């Protein structure tokens, strides 16, 4: 669309001819005062019509539209009427001007949604300011100043029309009320508002209106049809109902390729119909956001007394094929095949649950395949084909104007987690909107009527503890979701996200704090984090997104100390300690940082911590922190021959970037990919330096790399000899973003060295899915946002990333999962080796590679639907996704397998004295070799 440069009568007539519209031959009675009488915004050419007495001079008038935010979007959205322009004999003049098509109706639109049309006379007086949609008599959009918004509109409130138009229609002011009808630019509409089209005499089957393509072949036509009401939405903003041809559905399809159901948009009649009514309907066929519908006025609906055969639901697996879905649009269905929850983010906002057909979630393509590859493209194409939304039969916003309406689907007793199986217990209607197929319940679903209305139930996939991973000690990564002990109320300038009562919950901006707004909110956050970390029970934990307290004039470790204190209080003992910041710190650091905490009884720090001070690589990310540890034996003595290096990391996010290679190329890696590659290379060099300093081959890199498993930064590590432990040993994933599951968090083990490698030492791994798969409504940051408060003081949704847990060093062998060289030198003899193998409690047990782990961990684990997308939680894919089988997944058993013991099976005739001598000889050899191995490290 483009703005008109001439709006004289000839141009206006040209507009009408271009629209292919027929004007009424005579005008209605002239308007007593100029006003906006019609708004056409679903057409090829938008217009705003001014009604006034014939001959009224509109020269110099300003006509235009503001967005739902209240400002004029661009210069083309406002125009000045040329000199010499007058209203013709029709009593109306259509002014061509593009209108931002961002509208909604119902309570969700009240004061928030709806482009608004305005007209200002040549003296600068605001004549009309009318909002498309909204609630009649309710709040309207308020005009906001910007470069293009005329001053008379600023701070004025638009009047909601309560009316929205379907494709090919406009909204028109008739007898003081707005309604949708075929457009009549440059002419006042007939009182009936139907453009004068005669009502059809013949009944057209719904299947003929739907057709066999993705759009109706009868768009813009007035049609008469009949159907049985299968679903009705008198509340919730949909403003209509579904009807289906009597007797249709079930196993038999009398109209192959064409649907027998259709949505009827009819705010005037929806309150008067009930499910099961047999109706005759006369209205205009159109496409609304990709869904075929009829728009029916109050006079277009007739309830029939004659009996109608009942409609049957179509049962069976829901198809992936678009044409097969199109043939079911508007019909009653009851899916019986496998369906898996792939996303629950919008459940918190719009009452939507994203499902994937078949078994398993929708994978993040670059977590499985190389970015830009044919395989990655095919994965996303499959994702799009598999996705379908389980909706709530409404267009409300549970975080805005409908906070007092109980959330559907979600409850503390029955969380709907990503990866859960969905089972339909009653039929739904298949609709389409906002580019997605949608299962709609047969009436608006809320938390209050769930027992009667909710059409599906979900499996419970929660686990109270991580899987057993073995190992003498364990390592973990844990993102603490902007844990700030400096709360917003301690600073000046902070703005807040507020609950439904206006209480501040988290910091929104305006200051350096990023977490809780006040002590009460911090306690809620802290409670979840503390329980999760204590239950994770790792020996060493790498933390990301913890406050850098130095930015607030405090000791750098102040927030870290507070967290450790809380962990110990909850544990009831001095269980935890933190790694102190080193003396040498970067000159510039982010307000969030990485950190390391550890269990005092299980490991002992070796040397001091070191931070990678590389401003070139980490100017836009958090600097890596390294610390070496040694496991402690049962007596509490550090086993320094098993010293291992840990490095805690948090790379640049995907949400922004600048400079060469940092643009989003569309291959799935997002912004700042080049910077993350640079950070990966710097980290490899840094880790090598720490390895040399600690004289060990046991090196582990932990944290949030903001890179999915197959992306470029991860290739740097693989090329340098590191393996992704969770990808190798589990089917789990750590993050869910926009309905796609993948891992941004990793534990990388060095698989290179002269003897046993860091990867060899791994005994097992698990991704404990307590965070990313949980509804965000359970997070502390959403406390009391809705009357259904899902916050609970437990481990679930303590963060938005799942922790990765890795066990190292087989406690029954000298080191890890490999043969601990328990077999003696040849001069010790085979008998000595056998005896040593049987000595389970000998120093450095001879079991040649005990079971290294357990079964694979369960890998189960937000687009702008309903007119907008909820803001994602900070930091990764958007400055912030999901899990199923990774093609690289292997059995969770640790390296080396599980070989049988033989020493315990020595024959009884072997003398006890001889056996003891042999065991002693073997023990000496083992001890010598362990000392030599330690020296080599």
């Amino acid at each position: 669309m483009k703005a008109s440069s001439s709006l004289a009568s000839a141009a206006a007539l040209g507009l009408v001819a271009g629209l292919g519209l027929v004007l009424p031959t005579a005008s209605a009675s002239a308007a007593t005062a100029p006003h906006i009488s019609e708004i056409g915004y679903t057409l090829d050419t938008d217009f705003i019509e001014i009604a006034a007495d014939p001959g009224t001079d509109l020269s110099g008038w300003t006509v235009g539209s503001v967005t739902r935010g209240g400002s004029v979007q661009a210069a083309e959205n406002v125009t000045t009427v040329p000199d010499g322009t007058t209203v013709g004999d029709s009593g109306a003049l259509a002014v061509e001007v593009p209108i931002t098509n961002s509208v909604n109706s119902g309570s969700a639109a009240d004061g928030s949604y709806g482009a608004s049309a305005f007209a200002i006379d040549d003296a600068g007086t605001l004549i009309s300011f009318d909002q498309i949609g909204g609630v009649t008599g309710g709040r309207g959009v308020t005009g906001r100043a910007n470069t293009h918004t005329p001053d008379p509109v600023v701070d004025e409130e638009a009047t909601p029309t309560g009316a929205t138009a379907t494709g090919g229609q406009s909204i028109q002011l008739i007898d003081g009320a707005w309604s949708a009808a075929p457009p009549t630019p440059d002419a006042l509409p007939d009182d009936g508002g139907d453009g004068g089209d005669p009502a059809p005499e013949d009944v057209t089957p719904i299947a003929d209106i739907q057709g066999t393509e993705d759009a109706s072949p009868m768009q813009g036509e007035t049609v008469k049809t009949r159907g049985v009401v299968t679903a009705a939405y008198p509340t919730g903003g949909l403003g209509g109902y579904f009807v289906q041809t009597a007797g249709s559905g079930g196993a038999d399809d009398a109209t192959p390729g064409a649907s027998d159901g259709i949505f009827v948009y009819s705010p005037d009649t929806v309150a008067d119909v009930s499910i099961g009514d047999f109706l005759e309907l006369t209205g205009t066929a159109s496409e609304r956001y990709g869904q075929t519908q009829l728009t029916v006025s109050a006079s277009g609906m007739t309830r029939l007394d004659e009996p109608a055969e009942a409609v049957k639901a179509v049962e069976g697996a829901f198809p992936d094929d678009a044409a097969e879905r199109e043939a079911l649009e508007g019909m009653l269905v009851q899916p019986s095949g496998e369906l898996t929850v792939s996303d629950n983010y919008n459940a918190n906002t719009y009452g939507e649950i994203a499902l994937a057909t078949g078994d398993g979630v929708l994978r993040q393509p670059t977590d499985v395949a190389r970015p830009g590859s044919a395989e990655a493209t095919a994965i996303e194409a499959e994702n799009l084909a598999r996705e379908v939304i389980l909706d709530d039969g409404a267009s409300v916003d549970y975080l805005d104007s409908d906070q007092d309406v109980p959330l559907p689907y979600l409850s503390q007793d029955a969380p709907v987690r990503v990866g859960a199986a969905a089972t339909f217990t009653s039929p739904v209607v298949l609709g389409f909107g906002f580019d997605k197929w949608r299962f709609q319940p047969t009436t608006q679903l809320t938390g209050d009527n769930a027992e009667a209305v909710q059409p599906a139930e979900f499996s419970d996939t929660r686990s109270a503890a991580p899987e057993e991973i073995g190992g003498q000690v364990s390592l973990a990564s844990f993102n603490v979701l902007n844990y700030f002990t400096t709360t917003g109320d301690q600073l000046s300038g902070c703005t807040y996200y507020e609950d439904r009562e206006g209480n501040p919950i988290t910091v929104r901006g305006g200051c350096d704090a990023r977490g809780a707004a006040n002590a009460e909110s911090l306690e809620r956050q802290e409670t979840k984090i503390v329980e999760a970390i204590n239950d994770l029970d790792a020996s060493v934990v790498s933390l990301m997104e913890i406050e850098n307290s130095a930015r607030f004039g405090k000791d750098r470790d102040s927030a870290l100390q507070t967290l450790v204190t809380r962990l110990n209080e909850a544990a009831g003992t001095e269980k935890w300690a933190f790694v102190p910041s080193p003396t040498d710190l970067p000159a510039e650091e982010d307000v969030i940082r990485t950190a390391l905490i550890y269990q005092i009884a299980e490991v002992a720090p070796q040397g001091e911590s070191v931070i990678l001070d590389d401003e070139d690589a980490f100017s836009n990310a958090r600097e890596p922190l390294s610390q070496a540890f040694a496991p402690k034996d049962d007596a509490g003595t550090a086993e320094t021959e098993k010293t291992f290096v840990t490095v805690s990391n948090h790379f640049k996010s995907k949400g922004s970037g600048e400079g060469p290679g940092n643009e989003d190329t569309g291959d799935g890696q997002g912004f700042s990919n080049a910077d993350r590659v640079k950070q990966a290379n710097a980290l490899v060099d840094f880790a090598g330096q720490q390895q040399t300093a600690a004289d060990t081959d046991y090196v582990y890199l932990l944290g949030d790399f903001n890179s999915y498993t197959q992306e470029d930064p991860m290739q740097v590590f693989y090329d340098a000899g590191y393996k992704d432990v969770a990808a190798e040993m589990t089917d789990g994933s750590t993050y869910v973003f926009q309905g796609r599951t993948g891992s941004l968090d990793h534990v990388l083990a060095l698989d290179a060295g002269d003897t046993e490698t860091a990867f060899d030492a791994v005994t097992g791994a698990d991704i404990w899915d307590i965070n990313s798969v949980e509804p965000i409504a359970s997070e502390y940051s959403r406390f009391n946002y809705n009357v259904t408060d899902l916050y609970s003081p437990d481990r679930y949704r303590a963060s938005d990333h799942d922790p990765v847990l890795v066990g190292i060093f087989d406690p029954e062998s000298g080191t890890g999962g490999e043969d601990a060289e328990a077999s003696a030198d040849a001069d010790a003899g085979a008998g000595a080796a056998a005896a040593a193998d049987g000595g389970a409690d000998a120093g450095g047990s001879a079991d040649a590679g005990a079971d290294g782990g357990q079964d694979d961990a369960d890998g189960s684990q937000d687009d702008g639907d309903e007119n907008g997308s909820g803001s994602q939680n900070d930091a990764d894919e958007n400055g912030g996704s999901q899990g199923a089988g990774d093609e690289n997944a292997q059995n969770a058993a640790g390296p080396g397998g599980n070989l049988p013991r033989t020493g315990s099976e020595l024959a009884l005739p072997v003398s006890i004295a001889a056996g003891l001598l042999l065991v002693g000889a073997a023990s000496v050899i083992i001890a010598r070799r362990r000392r030599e191995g330690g020296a080599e490290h």
Side-chain angles (χ1 to χ4, degrees):
M1 294 175 286
K2 62 182 184 299
S4 173
S5 59
S6 174
L7 293 170
S9 298
L13 290 174
L15 165 64
V16 173
L19 291 172
L21 302 173
V22 178
L23 300 182
T25 57
S27 67
S29 57
T32 56
H35 62 277
I36 293 176
S37 56
E38 185 172 0
I39 305 171
Y41 63 97
T42 71
L43 315 170
D44 291 336
T45 304
D46 295 350
F47 68 88
I48 297 171
E49 182 184 81
I50 308 297
D53 289 330
T56 300
D57 187 1
L58 299 184
S59 301
W61 282 45
T62 302
V63 179
S65 73
V66 300
T67 68
R68 66 191 186 190
S71 61
V72 174
Q73 180 170 285
E76 67 175 6
N77 297 107
V78 61
T79 189
T80 301
V81 178
D83 289 343
T85 303
T86 58
V87 177
D89 291 341
S90 67
L93 176 72
V95 178
E96 180 186 343
V97 59
I99 298 170
T100 303
N101 189 358
S102 55
V103 303
N104 203 351
S105 58
S107 58
D110 191 20
S112 301
Y113 281 86
S116 301
F118 59 81
I120 303 168
D121 69 15
D122 58 346
T125 302
L126 183 64
I127 300 300
S128 290
F129 191 22
D130 296 301
Q131 177 182 315
I132 301 167
V135 179
T136 303
R139 292 187 302 120
V141 168
T142 299
R144 299 188 184 280
N146 77 346
T147 302
H148 306 293
T149 307
D151 289 341
V153 174
V154 176
D155 294 331
E156 295 295 329
E157 186 177 298
T159 301
T161 62
T164 59
T166 58
Q169 294 190 321
S170 67
I171 59 170
Q172 304 165 21
L173 183 63
I174 305 171
D175 291 337
W178 289 86
S179 61
T184 61
D186 286 313
L188 295 177
D190 291 342
D191 288 345
D194 60 4
D197 291 347
E201 296 183 2
D202 296 331
V203 173
T204 301
I206 292 173
D208 290 352
I209 301 171
Q210 282 278 11
T212 57
E213 302 297 328
D214 58 2
S216 170
M218 305 182 73
Q219 287 188 73
E221 296 183 30
T222 301
V223 296
K224 179 189 291 183
T225 193
R226 290 183 172 187
V228 176
V229 178
T230 56
Y233 309 99
T235 61
L238 295 187
Y241 41 92
F242 285 95
V243 296
Q244 188 169 326
T245 300
S248 64
D252 297 327
D253 187 0
T255 58
S259 169
D260 293 302
I262 195 168
F263 181 68
V264 179
Y265 178 69
S266 185
D268 293 336
T269 67
V270 64
D272 300 323
V273 304
S274 300
I275 294 174
D277 285 351
F278 188 29
L279 306 179
E280 184 171 273
L281 301 161
T282 300
T284 305
S286 65
E287 293 290 322
R288 175 70 169 170
Y289 293 109
Q291 176 173 269
T292 304
Q293 70 177 36
L294 289 181
T295 299
V296 174
S297 65
S299 60
M301 185 274 286
T302 301
R303 186 177 289 99
L304 301 174
D305 294 330
E306 61 190 83
E309 185 180 352
V311 169
K312 298 174 284 294
V314 176
E315 299 185 21
F318 187 64
D320 292 346
D321 181 75
E324 292 181 47
R325 291 185 175 188
E326 189 70 40
L328 296 172
E329 183 189 85
M331 293 182 65
L332 204 62
V333 298
Q334 184 160 353
S336 58
E338 287 185 308
L339 289 160
T340 305
V341 176
S342 64
D343 199 12
N344 52 22
Y345 186 84
N346 278 339
N348 186 52
T349 310
Y350 304 120
E352 301 173 355
I353 304 293
L355 303 177
T357 57
D359 182 26
V361 296
L362 305 180
R363 296 304 308 273
Q364 189 68 248
T366 55
D367 202 55
V368 180
R370 290 288 288 135
S373 66
E375 183 183 1
T377 300
I379 290 169
E380 183 55 22
E382 180 182 329
N383 286 342
L384 294 173
R386 292 177 59 201
E387 188 175 39
V388 60
I389 304 298
L390 176 58
D391 216 331
D392 62 344
S395 61
V396 302
D397 185 342
Y398 297 100
L399 290 185
D400 191 6
S401 53
D402 296 276
Q403 292 174 305
D404 293 330
V405 178
L407 280 170
Y409 296 115
L410 304 180
S411 69
Q412 288 194 14
D413 295 333
V416 181
R417 290 169 34 107
V418 173
T423 302
F424 279 83
T425 54
S426 60
V428 289
V429 176
L430 179 62
F432 189 89
F434 302 97
D435 298 321
K436 296 182 186 295
W437 291 99
R438 296 171 179 275
F439 293 138
Q440 297 287 5
T442 55
T443 194
Q444 181 187 4
L445 170 68
T446 71
D448 282 339
N449 64 10
E451 186 174 349
V453 176
Q454 183 168 311
E457 58 188 17
F458 308 90
S459 62
D460 184 358
T461 62
R462 277 182 170 176
S463 57
E467 297 287 336
E468 289 296 328
I469 57 166
Q472 179 183 3
V473 294
S474 55
L475 316 176
S477 70
F478 199 102
N479 185 305
V480 291
L481 190 61
N482 287 314
Y483 173 77
F484 274 59
T485 55
T486 303
T487 54
D489 60 356
Q490 298 175 30
L491 305 172
S492 60
C494 296
T495 60
Y496 301 100
Y497 292 104
E498 299 175 339
D499 69 7
R500 64 195 181 96
E501 297 171 353
N503 302 309
I505 301 298
T506 55
V507 175
R508 184 172 194 160
C511 61
D512 279 344
R514 292 188 184 177
N518 49 42
E520 294 84 357
S521 189
L522 175 61
E523 183 177 3
R524 296 185 201 107
Q525 179 188 24
E526 214 167 49
T527 299
K528 282 184 169 289
I529 292 172
V530 165
E531 179 156 349
I533 292 178
N534 272 332
D535 289 346
L536 184 65
D537 201 28
S539 308
V540 177
V541 182
S542 166
L543 303 177
M544 291 73 67
E545 291 192 20
I546 192 166
E547 172 189 294
N548 179 4
S549 301
R551 291 289 294 267
F552 302 101
K554 305 175 185 178
D555 183 273
R556 186 176 186 272
D557 296 329
S558 176
L560 183 59
Q561 173 68 76
T562 299
L563 178 58
V564 168
T565 299
R566 299 291 181 266
L567 286 165
N568 288 332
E569 289 172 351
T573 184
E574 291 298 306
K575 178 178 181 178
W576 296 94
F578 66 87
V579 172
S581 294
T583 303
D584 295 331
L585 297 171
E588 298 290 336
E589 289 191 277
D590 196 357
V591 71
I592 57 173
R593 53 168 287 200
T594 59
L596 289 160
I597 61 174
Y598 62 95
Q599 293 194 41
I600 300 168
E602 297 186 7
V603 294
Q606 302 297 296
E608 295 185 355
S609 64
V610 182
I611 288 180
L612 171 55
D613 188 358
D614 185 344
E615 182 65 17
D616 179 57
F618 286 91
S619 62
N620 59 0
R622 280 59 56 178
E623 290 82 358
L625 170 69
S626 177
Q627 175 67 59
F629 294 93
K632 288 185 176 180
D633 62 18
D634 291 343
T637 301
E639 298 183 72
T640 56
E641 70 275 15
K642 291 191 279 187
T643 294
F644 60 94
V645 169
T646 62
V647 186
S648 178
N649 302 277
H650 190 181
F651 282 12
K652 174 69 179 77
S653 75
K654 294 173 176 287
S656 62
E658 56 185 25
N662 288 322
E663 65 279 356
D664 186 348
T665 64
D667 66 355
Q669 300 190 92
F671 289 98
S672 295
N673 191 54
D675 280 353
R676 286 190 295 277
V677 169
K678 183 189 294 185
Q679 289 158 13
N681 280 301
L683 175 58
V684 167
D685 292 342
F686 177 66
Q689 296 166 9
Q690 303 314 304
Q691 176 185 5
T692 299
D695 190 21
T696 180
D697 287 334
Y698 302 128
V699 181
Y700 301 93
L701 314 180
L702 309 91
D704 177 3
F705 294 85
N706 268 314
S707 306
Y708 291 111
T709 306
Q710 298 301 327
E711 292 184 354
D712 295 343
M714 303 305 296
Q715 302 303 316
V716 174
F717 299 119
Y718 306 150
D719 292 343
Y722 287 88
K723 284 187 175 179
D724 188 328
V725 177
E728 298 278 346
M729 294 187 172
T730 81
D731 287 333
S733 297
T734 69
Y735 205 79
V736 179
F737 182 73
Q738 292 186 341
R740 306 294 183 264
T741 291
S743 286
L744 295 173
D745 310 84
H746 310 273
V747 174
L748 299 164
L750 186 62
D751 194 29
D754 296 333
T755 55
E756 181 185 57
T757 71
F759 185 75
D760 292 335
V762 174
T763 58
D766 184 34
I767 292 177
W768 191 23
D769 57 352
I770 55 172
N771 293 328
S772 72
V773 302
E774 292 279 338
I776 193 173
S778 301
E779 200 172 279
Y780 93 99
S781 65
R782 300 303 191 271
F783 178 80
N784 194 35
Y785 268 53
N786 181 269
V787 67
T788 302
D789 188 7
L790 294 185
Y791 173 84
S792 181
D794 56 27
R795 63 186 73 84
Y796 302 110
R797 196 69 191 194
S799 178
D800 51 348
H801 296 244
D802 290 318
V804 183
L805 182 65
V806 172
I808 60 174
F809 302 138
D810 189 327
E812 294 185 355
S813 68
T815 51
E818 291 251 316
D819 189 330
E821 293 192 66
S823 60
D825 283 342
D827 60 355
D837 194 28
D841 57 357
S845 165
D847 186 338
D851 184 6
Q854 69 292 325
D855 291 338
D856 288 353
D858 181 5
S860 358
Q861 301 252 299
D862 315 240
D863 303 13
D865 295 334
E866 307 269 16
N867 291 303
S869 66
S871 60
Q872 293 274 358
N873 229 358
D874 189 275
D876 293 308
E877 282 267 22
N878 196 15
S881 333
Q882 328 184 84
D886 191 301
E887 64 177 0
N888 293 325
Q890 298 178 359
N891 290 335
N898 187 8
L899 302 181
R901 296 173 183 262
T902 56
S904 60
E905 298 171 1
L906 291 174
L908 289 176
V910 177
S911 70
I912 296 174
L916 291 173
L917 288 173
L918 292 172
V919 169
S923 298
V924 170
I925 294 168
I926 292 168
R928 173 168 53 83
R929 290 195 169 184
R930 290 177 62 191
R931 286 195 298 272
E932 291 171 351
E936 291 172 359
H937 293 167

